[in-house]
Amino acid sequence: EAKVDQCFHVLTADCSYRKSFSILTRNITNSRNSNKEMKVFVGKTSILLTPGSGHSAYSTDIKIKVNGTDITLPSTGRYTIKDNKRDYVGDLIRSKDGVITLQFLHCPIMMGPSVILRFDGFKSEVKISPMYKGKVCGLCGDLSGLQLNGLVGPERCTYSKPELLTASYRVPISS
């Protein structure tokens, strides 16, 4: 588990020429067990998942914004995200336990989503189609299956320590 701070860090991204998506994460506070915030870009669409004020280990309250607009997702419901041209981007699903699942980039060959993000406010889980093997980068690695490639930074430099890798994927706060 990467130790990120209050700046966003690239968890995973399409680093091919397409650059079709990126998933960023950050701690909201500076404590070790801090709530996390997720920012996802799919094409030109941005999705922000932020634990609400009532969020805790016992009560999952996650606020959702798509392109800056608040989205209300029922307690066990689905919301289809469309871009400015009204084309399909992905689906947001809230499970009974309050976990938010974002699935996007549907792959016709695999008959399902290419990327799935599950987020409960504290932890995230990302599943990526094997078609992205060697084409993604970020703190999750490149999916090549080679352990050494798990410590490769954005400039293709290999780092000796996970802390250095984490720092290399830090996204500076823009002013």
Side-chain angles (χ1 to χ4, degrees):
E1 179 180 321
K3 291 180 175 72
V4 299
D5 56 25
Q6 290 175 288
C7 287
F8 278 105
H9 291 72
V10 178
L11 197 57
T12 191
D14 175 0
C15 291
S16 71
Y17 70 92
R18 287 191 186 121
K19 307 234 183 288
S20 60
F21 74 92
S22 62
I23 301 175
L24 311 177
T25 187
R26 73 177 184 143
N27 281 342
I28 294 177
T29 63
N30 224 1
S31 75
R32 183 179 167 99
N33 295 324
S34 173
N35 286 344
K36 305 267 189 275
E37 184 173 54
M38 305 297 296
K39 187 182 280 191
V40 180
F41 295 96
V42 183
K44 294 183 179 182
T45 302
S46 71
I47 301 129
L48 184 66
L49 305 173
T50 307
S53 58
H55 184 75
S56 71
Y58 307 105
S59 172
T60 306
D61 173 30
I62 298 176
K63 306 292 181 200
I64 303 166
K65 287 189 178 198
V66 175
N67 292 330
T69 302
D70 290 327
I71 300 299
T72 302
L73 193 59
S75 57
T76 55
R78 176 184 292 257
Y79 177 84
T80 298
I81 303 168
K82 296 192 176 189
D83 65 15
N84 293 340
K85 296 178 185 174
R86 308 288 300 147
D87 291 329
Y88 176 83
V89 172
D91 290 304
L92 284 161
I93 303 155
R94 186 185 311 266
S95 62
K96 288 181 183 179
D97 60 359
V99 173
I100 300 293
T101 300
L102 169 60
Q103 50 190 33
F104 57 92
L105 295 177
H106 280 262
C107 175
I109 296 167
M110 300 197 56
M111 303 292 287
S114 296
V115 182
I116 300 171
L117 166 67
R118 290 180 42 83
F119 179 61
D120 69 359
F122 296 104
K123 293 183 181 178
S124 59
E125 175 186 7
V126 180
K127 291 183 181 178
I128 300 175
S129 164
M131 73 180 209
Y132 282 101
K133 184 177 181 176
K135 296 177 184 171
V136 292
C137 61
L139 295 175
C140 292
D142 68 358
L143 297 181
S144 69
L146 301 173
Q147 189 171 3
L148 179 63
N149 288 356
L151 292 176
V152 175
E155 302 298 324
R156 306 304 301 158
C157 296
T158 301
Y159 291 92
S160 60
K161 297 180 181 177
E163 299 83 18
L164 298 173
L165 177 72
T166 300
S168 75
Y169 281 109
R170 189 173 197 245
V171 179
I173 297 173
S174 57
S175 44

